[in-house]
Amino acid sequence: MAVKYPAIGIRPTIDGRRRGVRESLELQTMGMAQRVADFLQENLRYPDGSPVECVIADSTIGGVSEASAARSKFSGANVGVSITVTPCWCYGSETMDMDAAIPHAVWGFNGTERPGAVYLAAVLSAYAQKGIPAFGIYGEDVQDSGSEEIPADVQAKLLRFAKSALAAAIMKSRSYLSMGSVSMGIAGSIVNDQFFQEYLGMRNEYIDMSEFVRRFEEEIYDPEEFARALKWTKENCQIGPDNNPAHLQVSEEEKEKQWETCVKMALIGRDLMIGNPVLAELGFEEEAQGHNAIAAGFQGQRQWTDHFPNGDFMETILNSSFDWNGKRAPYILATENDSLNGVTMLFNYLLTNTAQIFADVRTYWSPAAVKRVTGYELEGAAANGLLHLINSGSAALDGTGQQSLEGKPAIKPFWDITDEEVAASLKETFFRPASQEYFRGGGFSTDYLTKGGMPVTMARLNLVKGLGPVLQLVEGYTAELPGEVHRQLDERTDPTWPTTWFAPILTGTGSFKSVYDVMNNWGANHGAISYGHIGADLITLASILRIPVSMHNVDESQIFRPRVWSLFGTDSLEDADYRACRNFGPLYH
């Protein structure tokens, strides 16, 4: 199903006084808007790889009538983000965009000839007074009035705001699809529809896992694609050693049947999320529609996995940036239907357009413990200790780290991935017969080791009674251990599962005094791991959604929130964030 992505609306506001003032500013003001539009379209892409669309108001906006005309144009053009630009004084409450349901930013040109900064302060005050938080963008250095440059600091803020605001806009009116219900009592899989509706503007959709069985038995999937997918899987997915004791191992014939089921699950899971027109041709018009899901979760354990092959292959391949159809955008599918980790994966994905690693935050390994068990002394980024991130059987294949940027391991948007990198990711992955003690119905767990040296951010959304959602995040690096050291540590858990060794960046304060403190303050058993240090973008997105951030190691100079946040205090930004989010409430309440 084709997705119509929201556009960014650019609003050039101007001093409304005629007979010389407005006329002298028309070209400069409209030129500013065009340059911002060009800059964003050149530097931002939607999840499908297409350039972000910018819509500019038909005229400069000098008063309420032109503001209303711009709003009408934006409504018809699917605008979900508003950026106002001006080099001069304008009439604040008369020219501002009053749509409280979309994110707003204002760039006031820092020049001495006209008071763009004065308008910026005035209109941000109006936004605060009217309860519509807006981001203020003001360059540090004075520019000449004729300058057509967008300064570097202004560029950074435009990109940070636009990326985060688009993420919020793209989620709106989409669905989270719960495949099954609560997995093993994990609170994140108790799907909270109020949170999705009020904070994200999303719907909740639900199916029982018996829907998979119905589609197996009634053959509600594309048979041609199934044959092609099964062939690709057998040719490209290496079977790893069976770690089960002899009395629990299944026959090769049974493994063949399990592979067929696992591939069908992947097809069906995708079709449930986004639909498939081929199903309509087969006579299944209703099923062809899908659930308009931008993210989903599969319960699996235990009601499914005690009898059927697990969801590991489905989760792995859908979360990856490629499959039997070639390179494509990943689907966001949470293990154990942990909707809160699924949402965090979605945040990360929409900010980066890259596949996400879902993982248990399983073990803190101190330097002393590693040395006691293996005799090895941790060094480099890992010198202060490690977190063992290891999901119970699935993780996006991009997480192998076999893609590269400037010669270093990376995870890239699908349109930048080469065929060689796809092949390398598959080569470094084994699909191991699932642990029969955990997964009585069998299946195949994804087994790989993430390359070290990648900058990554681990994040997690939590719900707290009486407080609501809270985001926490930590930037750090993937680490690489000597092969034998990794083996010894890995075999203390389940060596058939994918491992990422994570070394958080420490600041010496709060939750980042030590790696132990990071682990000890983590709010749940899961985390979403994204390539890149994207903490500042996550903080901006959280402020748009009115979700406070309880834990982060982002430098204060990089934090960008609506200007009104400073009116809640500037000494402790964390305290001010909590107060501002509580004061304004959810974006869609």
Side-chain angles (χ1 to χ4, degrees), residues 495-518:
T496 69
W497 297 345
T499 280
T500 303
W501 293 108
F502 178 51
I505 296 170
L506 302 179
T507 65
T509 61
S511 299
F512 298 93
K513 287 181 289 192
S514 69
V515 178
Y516 172 79
D517 286 311
V518 173

Side-chain angles (χ1 to χ4, degrees), residues 197-215:
Q197 176 183 331
E198 294 188 355
Y199 282 90
L200 309 181
M202 289 176 61
R203 292 175 179 265
N204 293 92
E205 292 282 292
Y206 309 85
I207 63 149
D208 189 275
M209 288 183 291
S210 62
E211 176 64 6
F212 280 82
V213 180
R214 184 179 80 91
R215 294 195 183 206

Side-chain angles (χ1 to χ4, degrees), residues 233-541:
T233 299
K234 289 182 176 180
E235 291 174 354
N236 292 278
C237 297
Q238 305 175 84
I239 307 298
D242 193 333
N243 209 47
N244 289 291
H247 71 283
L248 290 179
Q249 293 187 12
V250 300
S251 67
E252 292 303 313
E253 182 182 10
E254 177 59 28
K255 288 177 183 175
E256 285 290 315
K257 291 179 181 176
Q258 289 182 12
W259 262 126
E260 292 182 9
T261 300
C262 290
V263 172
K264 288 177 186 176
M265 287 174 68
L267 295 177
I268 292 168
R270 181 205 61 200
D271 291 351
L272 283 164
M273 289 181 69
I274 66 166
N276 186 345
V278 174
L279 301 185
E281 298 170 12
L282 298 173
F284 301 104
E285 290 86 353
E286 181 182 1
E287 292 85 349
Q289 295 296 310
H291 290 266
N292 194 35
I294 194 172
F298 181 70
Q299 175 190 340
Q301 298 186 70
R302 289 184 43 209
Q303 285 79 350
W304 180 267
T305 56
D306 277 4
H307 184 66
F308 291 102
N310 61 23
D312 291 0
F313 178 77
M314 172 178 66
E315 294 160 12
T316 289
I317 205 68
L318 291 185
N319 278 312
S320 300
S321 298
F322 52 84
D323 59 18
W324 43 86
N325 292 320
K327 289 166 281 190
R328 43 89 179 140
Y331 305 93
I332 301 300
L333 181 58
T335 300
E336 294 158 349
N337 196 28
D338 184 347
S339 63
L340 296 180
N341 213 55
V343 165
T344 315
M345 292 169 72
L346 180 60
F347 288 178
N348 293 348
Y349 167 60
L350 293 175
L351 290 170
T352 64
N353 291 326
T354 59
Q356 301 297 307
I357 302 172
F358 183 113
D360 287 358
V361 185
R362 185 165 284 252
T363 310
Y364 161 64
W365 277 100
S366 68
V370 172
K371 188 159 188 179
R372 176 181 63 81
V373 171
T374 68
Y376 177 72
E377 192 159 330
L378 292 174
E379 57 186 20
N384 295 304
L386 289 168
L387 298 182
H388 192 181
L389 309 180
I390 175 170
N391 191 19
S392 52
S394 72
L397 295 171
D398 306 65
T400 56
Q402 293 299 315
Q403 300 162 27
S404 67
L405 280 172
E406 299 177 352
K408 297 179 180 179
I411 299 176
K412 301 188 291 191
F414 76 90
W415 56 82
D416 285 335
I417 299 172
T418 67
D419 292 340
E420 292 75 17
E421 289 168 338
V422 170
S425 300
L426 289 162
K427 184 179 179 182
E428 291 301 314
T429 304
F430 286 102
F431 289 87
R432 307 276 297 270
S435 169
Q436 294 287 145
E437 293 176 343
Y438 277 112
F439 305 111
R440 298 172 187 173
F444 297 89
S445 294
T446 307
D447 178 25
Y448 65 70
L449 174 62
T450 301
K451 263 193 170 184
M454 288 198 294
V456 294
T457 303
M458 182 171 76
R460 168 72 191 192
L461 189 72
N462 299 286
L463 287 180
V464 181
K465 184 176 175 61
L467 174 62
V470 179
L471 184 69
Q472 51 187 177
L473 62 96
V474 50
E475 295 180 342
Y477 293 89
T478 60
E480 207 153 306
L481 298 175
E484 179 59 21
V485 175
H486 162 71
R487 187 192 65 78
Q488 290 183 56
L489 300 182
D490 197 40
E491 288 188 354
R492 293 174 70 97
T493 174
D494 193 316
T496 69
W497 297 345
T499 280
T500 303
W501 293 108
F502 178 51
I505 296 170
L506 302 179
T507 65
T509 61
S511 299
F512 298 93
K513 287 181 289 192
S514 69
V515 178
Y516 172 79
D517 286 311
V518 173
M519 177 78 173
N520 202 36
N521 285 289
W522 203 247
N525 52 312
H526 294 147
I529 298 87
S530 181
Y531 176 77
H533 289 158
I534 63 167
D537 292 335
L538 281 166
I539 289 170
T540 295
L541 173 58

Side-chain angles (χ1 to χ4, degrees), residues 15-302:
D15 192 324
R17 286 171 285 205
R18 301 281 183 171
R19 301 184 185 178
V21 177
R22 178 167 180 163
E23 291 84 350
S24 70
L25 293 163
E26 287 282 0
L27 289 177
Q28 183 184 5
T29 305
M30 192 57 84
M32 213 175 152
Q34 188 62 58
R35 286 190 292 277
V36 169
D38 291 344
F39 170 72
L40 294 175
Q41 288 172 158
E42 288 169 6
N43 287 278
L44 293 177
R45 294 202 199 185
Y46 292 121
D48 65 359
S50 61
V52 161
E53 180 185 0
C54 290
V55 177
I56 302 176
D58 288 334
S59 71
T60 55
I61 300 168
V64 67
S65 294
E66 289 158 330
S68 179
R71 173 45 44 200
S72 294
K73 179 178 183 179
F74 289 176
S75 296
N78 196 33
V79 165
V81 177
S82 172
I83 299 178
T84 297
V85 301
T86 190
C88 59
W89 168 254
C90 316
Y91 304 150
S93 63
E94 297 180 21
T95 59
M96 66 190 288
D97 189 337
M98 293 284 288
D99 188 343
I102 68 173
H104 299 272
V106 183
W107 175 25
F109 186 81
N110 184 2
T112 57
E113 291 82 1
R114 300 283 186 175
V118 179
Y119 168 72
L120 175 63
V123 78
L124 290 175
S125 173
Y127 274 117
Q129 190 166 324
K130 294 176 181 296
I132 307 174
F135 290 77
I137 301 174
Y138 179 55
E140 184 172 348
D141 296 321
V142 172
Q143 294 180 261
D144 296 333
S145 62
S147 173
E148 296 186 355
E149 176 192 8
I150 303 177
D153 60 335
V154 172
Q155 289 185 17
K157 288 183 176 179
L158 283 170
L159 286 176
R160 181 148 293 148
F161 168 76
K163 278 194 292 186
S164 303
L166 277 172
I170 290 170
M171 285 185 283
K172 187 178 180 182
S173 299
R174 299 296 301 279
S175 304
Y176 177 88
L177 174 61
S178 177
M179 301 176 181
S181 185
V182 180
S183 175
M184 302 184 296
I186 293 171
S189 59
I190 304 172
V191 180
N192 187 306
D193 63 327
Q194 184 178 4
F195 160 70
F196 277 92
Q197 176 183 331
E198 294 188 355
Y199 282 90
L200 309 181
M202 289 176 61
R203 292 175 179 265
N204 293 92
E205 292 282 292
Y206 309 85
I207 63 149
D208 189 275
M209 288 183 291
S210 62
E211 176 64 6
F212 280 82
V213 180
R214 184 179 80 91
R215 294 195 183 206
F216 292 159
E217 294 180 352
E218 296 185 29
E219 297 185 354
I220 307 175
Y221 51 84
D222 180 349
E224 185 279 327
E225 186 181 8
F226 168 63
R228 179 161 38 86
L230 185 63
K231 181 175 184 291
W232 180 90
T233 299
K234 289 182 176 180
E235 291 174 354
N236 292 278
C237 297
Q238 305 175 84
I239 307 298
D242 193 333
N243 209 47
N244 289 291
H247 71 283
L248 290 179
Q249 293 187 12
V250 300
S251 67
E252 292 303 313
E253 182 182 10
E254 177 59 28
K255 288 177 183 175
E256 285 290 315
K257 291 179 181 176
Q258 289 182 12
W259 262 126
E260 292 182 9
T261 300
C262 290
V263 172
K264 288 177 186 176
M265 287 174 68
L267 295 177
I268 292 168
R270 181 205 61 200
D271 291 351
L272 283 164
M273 289 181 69
I274 66 166
N276 186 345
V278 174
L279 301 185
E281 298 170 12
L282 298 173
F284 301 104
E285 290 86 353
E286 181 182 1
E287 292 85 349
Q289 295 296 310
H291 290 266
N292 194 35
I294 194 172
F298 181 70
Q299 175 190 340
Q301 298 186 70
R302 289 184 43 209

Side-chain angles (χ1 to χ4, degrees), residues 103 135 161 164-165 168 539-547 562 565 587:
F135 290 77
F161 168 76
S164 303
I539 289 170
T540 295
L541 173 58
S543 68
I544 289 171
L545 301 172
R546 322 286 163 73
I547 297 173
W565 259 237
L587 181 57

